[in-house]
Every structure is written in C-alpha cells, then in structure tokens.
Amino acid sequence: MLQGSKNFHNGSFQFGSDGRDAVVVAPRVDPFEMPPEDLSNQLLDLYFQYFYPFIPLMHKKKFLRSLNDKQHPPPPLLLNSIYAVASRVSPDPRVRADPSQPDTAGDIFFERARLLLSQEFNKFQVSTVQSLLLLSSHQNGALKPTRGWIYSGMAFRMAQNLGLHRNCDTWNLSEEDKQERKRVFFCCFVIDRLTCAMHGRAPMLDERDYDTPYPTEQDEDDKDCTPRVMETFIQLVKLCEILGDVLRDLYMVKGRKQLSVMATPDSVISTLDRALNQWMAKLPPSLRYRPPNTRLAEKAPAPALELCQLHMLFYTTLILLHRPFIPGTTQNIAPSVFPSASICTFAANKILDISESLLAEGRLANVNNYALYFMFTAGIIFIYNAASTDSMFAFEAKISINKIMHAMDEIEKTWVTSARHCNILGELAGLRDVNLVTTTDGSYGRNTSASLPLSIPASIAVPNSPIMESDQREGMDEKYSNYYSVLDDQSPPRPVESPPRSFHPTQHNIGSPQSSNVSIPSGTQQRSYDPIASAFWGIPTSFDLDEWNSYFNNQRPQQQQQQQQQQQQDQQPQQQQGRGQRQSGINRNNNDNGASGNRLQYW
C-alpha cells in the first residue's frame, strides 16, 4: 500500500518539508480582487462552521456586522486569509488555482493575502495578527511547515507589540474591542503551544509575561448549542497551559537536563499527571465525552467537532507526558512507578476511537490540521506496541496502525500534509520490521490467523477504556477507572492523587522488535532515570519532516549493520555444527570403513 506512494524512491521514503522536491510557481493574482458574492458567502459559512468553533479568532458579532458596513468593511487581508483556510473544505472548483488539482484549494487567496501582508508590516493591527494565524494554519496543512512556523511567530510578536498580552479591562476601548483582544491573544497562546508540540520547539509566549483575563462574552448565535463555543475554548486554553508545562519540564533543554540528574522523575510526572486528571475531572457536564470503545465494536454519535478535538488534545498531552518514561530493553527496573507504556496505549486507543467515530459519520475531513498531529502521535504508540512479542497484543496494534493511517488518508482530502506523515508511519513500521495486516471489512479479523492465541495472556494489561467494559478485562480496567476520572452519567468525575503501583506490563524498545520484561518496582527499590535508555530515545518528538528524514537516514546504516551482525551470529552455530558433523563422519569412517558416507550427507 505504501510502496505506491509518490514519496517512495529507491526502497525508502523521502519527505520534503517545504515543497523543495518540486518547483511551485505562485499564481499571478490581483491582491485587491475579491471572489464572487456567492463564493464569498459559502467560504465564510464553511469557516464559521468548521474552523471558528475550535479557534474563535474574532468577535463574531462585530465581524459579521462589518460585512455590511461599506465605510468600515473587514480588511482584505483578513478576508483572503479566511477564504484560504475555508477553501480546504470547499468542493467548489473556483477556489483552486488549478481546477483539476484539489491540492491547490485556497492557493489563490493565500497568494493575495501574502501580497497584502507586505503592506501592513509598518502599520499592523489586530486583524493582521488574526490573518497571520490563519495563514499559519493554511501553510502547516499545505505542506509548508516552515512558512507556517514563521507566520505564527510573526503573529505572536505583533500581538505583544499591540499589548494583547496585557489586561485591557480598564483601557478606553469598547467592550467588543476588549473581548476581541482577549480572544486573539489566547488564540495566539493556543496556537503557540500546539505548533511548538508539532514542530518540537520551545514555546514563545511565556506564561509569566501576560495578565490578560479569559474572554467572557459568549456568541449570541450559539445560545441553543451544547457546548457553547467560548465554553469549549476556555477549556482548550486551560489544557494548553498544561501542555506548555509538559513541554517545558520534559522536552526543553534545561528541563531534560534537570530530569537526567534526578534520582526519579516521579515528582515531575505526578504534578503534571495530577493537573491533567483534575482538568478532566472539572470539565462541565456539557464538555464531557466518553469515546466508544471501537475495539469492542461500540458505537455512539460523536459530539461537536471542536469537542472531539479538545479530547484528542487531552490524550495527546497524556502521551507526551508519559512517553519519555517508557523503559527500553536495557532497563531492568522501570524509571517511574507510573505504567507509562500502558497509559500511552490507553490514550492512543482513545484518539483512535474518536477518529473512528468521526470517520464513520463522514466528519473527519473537516478537522483542523492540528488534529493530524494528535493522530500521528497515537500512531507512533501503536507502532511501538506492534513490536511486542505477545502475538495478540501486537496483532491488535497492527490493526490500530492500519486504522489510524486510514483515518489520516481521509484527512488528506483537506490537508495534503497528511499523506507524508502517513508515509512516515509506514516507513517507521518497516524500519521496525512490523508487517502491517489488512482486513477486507475493516474489522480486527481475530479468526484470520490460526497461529494467534485464543486469549490475552495475563501479563499483558493494556487499558482500552477508563470504563469497565467486560468481565474479561475487569482487572486492568479497574486500575484505570480509579486512576482516570469516570465520565459517565452515573459516576461523577473525581481527581485521584496517586497512580497505581502494582502494575507489570511487558515493555520493549521501539528501536528493537525484541522485548524484555520490566516490573514496576516497589518503593524500597532504587530507581534512576536514564533518558538514553528509554524506549523512545532518539525518536523525533514532533512530526517535523526534516527531523524524520534525518532520523531515517541515520537508522538505515545501523539497521544494515545489525542485520549483518545477526547473519554472522546465525552462521557461527551452523559452522560449528558443520565442523562437528565432519569430525563425526571421520570417526564413523574409521570404524566402519566408510559405510557412513550417506549418513554424513544426511546429517
């Protein structure tokens, strides 16, 4: 399936991060030209339907009123930026630079916005910041991550220059302007955390350098909606605050150095894990969501798209928190009391469950491009699990890889960058000697292989849901129903102060398909955190294409060297056996005058 990719050359994948593999000629456009009124209305409707609810960049009432104000209309830069993003989900061929190429959707509007942007550097305003955030999103999804990163950075600097990071409640501004400034700043904050996680870089907006309060005004046209747009957005901001703490403490240079000298990282993990658990526990009822367990064929309607993406981000943050502490093959004692591998598997399964639900309803292609990173992160965990020596566990992980890649194929209809990140998963699976399985009906196909065990061994305990779903999995689910908040109608959510300690998962290094048993030690045993010995040491933490190219180029010679060493090791017993057989033949020949010639050939 993956070898037919346009990025597969000479037995491997090559990924270009910013389109350097092809010369792209920008369309020649008039920056002040506007689309027909019907197309403009269609694109504005698409934007407010699919993109605005997750990242509410503007004061909606004020913006819609300006559309009919001939004296103060919306800036052309902002309109073209909105058109560029909304074009990604529009079937209208008029939004394409080349009507026969869906990948060019929005390029015309982006080019107009790019030309208009050059005229605002010396007199930028709040709408310039809004436009840059939209252009950043468009470029990240259109396989131009470098441009996307630069545009977002420009937006953050302009926001600080405009004072959006300061409390404006006492300033001489209208209430609409105050609310809009707050929205724009916290959109900058959210996008800063998301893009930094995606690109593996440090956050730019320091939480110690802003005092802007959360926006409080609700949109007037979503009074009957559940959940309301701003209600979801405030929780997104709070979750991104925790995500920033995870990036600072675990992934930034000084944070990683500090971890490396600590006897155990449990205190750091516990603080961040408790913050995530309390965030989930304190969600209002309208924002709670228990994804159906698709591995048990559960089905349930998915809630609003922005709520689905909010929960996907929660589980992605959970993975980013625990992934560095999955022990590798050289660690006989786990570095933490937390069952990090199983927690990551639990979170990856939930991301897949949400993706499957949206895919079944035909809504997955309408997600924001940041959701692609959530799914990619889950896919990395599935590839790690697919190298397990437990055949049933590995088989289910391979099924999950196929499903997450199928979901990413659906997103490719909107965001072309999905194709290359899907190929990265395929290349990584091949590098780990993981043969992906396929089924004709999309099910797990447990009965397709007679060699698979009929039951899951007791030593494997991977949570599939925080809700106990069957008697067979009651033991392992009980741990996680106590650890994570139970989000059903019968049981109110509750934060838990300490993680489960009596857990014995089978661990293995993603760099090697072989596994070793690792026990979670008791409190009396000595633990130490060695990041180099962790299972994910050296694996890119982001889905930056340049990082993955470098990683694969470094891994291929090592893989070839390991294969040669393995061949030499396999040949040594054969050579020793051959020498023993020849010596045996000589002895027999001396005893029975050569009557064993045929036996020597047989042996």
Side-chain angles (χ1 to χ4, degrees):
M1 177 179 69
L2 294 170
Q3 292 183 357
S5 168
K6 58 185 178 183
N7 299 316
F8 189 84
H9 303 290
N10 299 323
S12 65
F13 289 93
Q14 296 295 323
F15 314 106
S17 63
D18 55 4
R20 289 190 297 265
D21 53 344
V23 178
V24 179
V25 179
R28 303 179 67 176
V29 298
D30 177 4
F32 297 100
E33 181 181 357
M34 301 302 287
E37 184 177 359
D38 67 312
L39 181 58
S40 173
N41 293 334
Q42 176 201 116
L43 294 176
L44 290 173
D45 289 342
L46 290 173
Y47 169 74
F48 283 107
Q49 180 179 359
Y50 296 121
F51 300 103
Y52 171 84
F54 188 60
I55 307 288
L57 260 175
M58 58 198 69
H59 192 280
K60 187 176 181 181
K61 179 181 177 181
K62 176 184 175 182
F63 175 81
L64 294 178
R65 187 175 64 244
S66 68
L67 290 174
N68 299 320
D69 188 345
K70 295 183 178 180
Q71 292 185 348
H72 301 91
L77 172 60
L78 179 57
L79 284 174
N80 278 287
S81 301
I82 293 175
Y83 296 152
V85 172
S87 294
R88 305 304 301 186
V89 294
S90 173
D92 196 316
R94 291 178 294 175
V95 303
R96 305 172 186 171
D98 182 349
S100 63
Q101 297 293 330
D103 292 350
T104 64
D107 288 356
I108 296 175
F109 305 114
F110 168 79
E111 186 62 21
R112 290 175 183 167
R114 187 184 66 83
L115 296 174
L116 292 168
L117 180 62
S118 62
Q119 302 178 16
E120 296 204 15
F121 285 130
N122 295 325
K123 54 185 179 83
F124 54 84
Q125 48 194 334
V126 173
S127 63
T128 312
V129 179
Q130 295 168 322
S131 302
L132 283 167
L133 294 179
L134 291 168
L135 295 177
S136 172
S137 177
H138 178 274
Q139 292 295 281
N140 280 326
L143 208 60
K144 302 293 189 300
T146 302
R147 285 188 186 180
W149 173 256
I150 292 174
Y151 281 141
S152 62
M154 292 169 60
F156 306 152
R157 295 299 181 231
M158 289 184 182
Q160 290 176 321
N161 209 12
L162 292 169
L164 300 185
H165 61 302
R166 301 309 309 271
N167 188 347
C168 63
D169 285 342
T170 59
W171 296 8
N172 186 22
L173 297 171
S174 67
E175 186 60 28
E176 287 183 348
D177 289 339
K178 292 177 183 178
Q179 291 295 324
E180 184 169 46
R181 290 174 65 89
K182 295 175 184 178
R183 291 190 183 200
V184 174
F185 172 75
F186 280 107
C187 284
C188 287
F189 179 83
V190 167
I191 292 176
D192 177 42
R193 271 31 180 189
L194 292 178
T195 55
C196 287
M198 286 170 57
H199 298 296
R201 294 169 186 153
M204 298 176 64
L205 297 177
D206 194 331
E207 64 272 10
R208 298 169 298 181
D209 192 40
Y210 70 84
D211 59 359
T212 304
Y214 295 145
T216 56
E217 184 179 348
Q218 297 283 352
D219 290 336
E220 293 183 353
D221 59 350
D222 70 343
K223 293 181 180 179
D224 298 328
C225 297
T226 303
R228 302 192 68 176
V229 169
M230 293 309 299
E231 185 181 24
T232 306
F233 181 64
I234 295 302
Q235 295 302 324
L236 174 62
V237 173
K238 294 179 179 179
L239 181 57
C240 283
E241 290 173 349
I242 303 174
L243 172 61
D245 293 340
V246 171
L247 297 177
R248 179 198 62 208
D249 293 344
L250 305 184
Y251 293 92
M252 292 179 65
V253 175
K254 288 189 177 180
R256 298 181 72 170
K257 286 185 177 180
Q258 184 177 1
L259 278 177
S260 64
V261 299
M262 296 176 66
T264 173
D266 286 340
S267 61
V268 176
I269 303 174
S270 179
T271 299
L272 297 171
D273 192 270
R274 186 181 300 112
L276 279 173
N277 188 259
Q278 290 177 346
W279 177 90
M280 178 68 82
K282 293 178 181 179
L283 281 179
S286 60
L287 295 178
R288 298 177 192 171
Y289 174 43
R290 175 193 178 273
N293 191 328
T294 56
R295 289 159 306 288
L296 297 181
E298 289 185 357
K299 294 182 180 180
L305 204 59
E306 62 271 20
L307 183 57
C308 290
Q309 294 175 93
L310 176 68
H311 282 263
M312 291 173 77
L313 175 59
F314 167 80
Y315 293 116
T316 300
T317 307
L318 193 62
I319 292 175
L320 293 177
L321 168 58
H322 287 280
R323 189 172 65 182
F325 307 103
I326 298 178
T329 55
T330 60
Q331 290 179 302
N332 294 323
I333 299 178
S336 170
V337 297
F338 287 81
S340 295
S342 297
I343 292 174
C344 288
T345 300
F346 161 79
N349 284 335
K350 294 294 102 182
I351 294 174
L352 177 58
D353 290 338
I354 298 173
S355 302
E356 288 271 277
S357 299
L358 290 174
L359 180 63
E361 297 177 10
R363 295 194 288 151
L364 186 61
N366 298 324
V367 297
N368 200 292
N369 72 83
Y370 302 113
L372 176 61
Y373 173 65
F374 310 154
M375 299 165 65
F376 180 84
T377 303
I380 296 294
I381 299 300
F382 292 139
I383 291 177
Y384 164 77
N385 291 341
S388 171
T389 55
D390 181 84
S391 57
M392 177 61 76
F393 185 46
F395 179 70
E396 289 190 348
K398 293 175 184 178
I399 293 291
S400 296
I401 296 172
N402 277 326
K403 289 192 172 186
I404 206 72
M405 291 173 69
H406 177 61
M408 292 170 69
D409 285 340
E410 180 71 12
I411 295 182
E412 185 185 354
K413 298 176 182 178
T414 304
W415 305 109
V416 65
T417 187
S418 178
R420 295 199 177 182
H421 292 108
C422 189
N423 287 340
I424 289 177
L425 293 180
E427 174 81 344
L428 185 61
L431 194 65
R432 303 294 171 248
D433 295 327
V434 174
N435 296 319
L436 301 182
V437 295
T438 57
T439 55
T440 57
D441 59 353
S443 63
Y444 282 89
R446 294 179 184 270
N447 297 327
T448 58
S449 175
S451 62
L452 293 175
L454 297 179
S455 61
I456 301 177
S459 61
I460 297 297
V462 179
N464 288 306
S465 173
I467 311 300
M468 291 182 289
E469 296 155 327
S470 65
D471 295 338
Q472 181 181 4
R473 304 188 181 189
E474 182 174 358
M476 65 174 148
D477 284 344
E478 184 178 359
K479 296 181 177 66
Y480 286 86
S481 63
N482 291 331
Y483 181 39
Y484 294 102
S485 302
V486 180
L487 301 179
D488 58 5
D489 296 333
Q490 289 74 32
S491 302
R494 60 188 185 278
V496 181
E497 297 300 325
S498 60
R501 294 175 178 266
S502 57
F503 203 79
H504 303 276
T506 298
Q507 306 286 0
H508 48 271
N509 194 314
I510 195 171
S512 171
Q514 299 180 359
S515 66
S516 61
N517 293 327
V518 179
S519 301
I520 300 299
S522 64
T524 58
Q525 288 181 286
Q526 181 66 33
R527 295 188 303 275
S528 62
Y529 176 59
D530 180 9
I532 299 180
S534 64
F536 283 85
W537 174 258
I539 304 293
T541 59
S542 66
F543 69 177
D544 183 82
L545 295 171
D546 285 332
E547 283 192 48
W548 281 102
N549 268 333
S550 176
Y551 172 75
F552 286 133
N553 290 334
N554 291 333
Q555 288 294 311
R556 292 185 190 106
Q558 297 179 14
Q559 186 183 38
Q560 294 175 355
Q561 183 179 5
Q562 292 175 356
Q563 291 175 349
Q564 293 175 356
Q565 293 175 353
Q566 185 64 37
Q567 291 176 356
Q568 293 175 357
Q569 293 175 359
D570 294 341
Q571 291 174 357
Q572 288 178 358
Q574 296 177 359
Q575 293 174 354
Q576 294 175 357
Q577 182 180 4
R579 287 194 295 268
Q581 290 173 348
R582 287 194 295 272
Q583 183 63 40
S584 176
I586 292 172
N587 293 337
R588 290 193 186 95
N589 188 52
N590 291 334
N591 293 332
D592 55 12
N593 297 323
S596 63
N598 290 334
R599 295 196 201 101
L600 178 62
Q601 184 177 358
Y602 174 79
W603 285 102

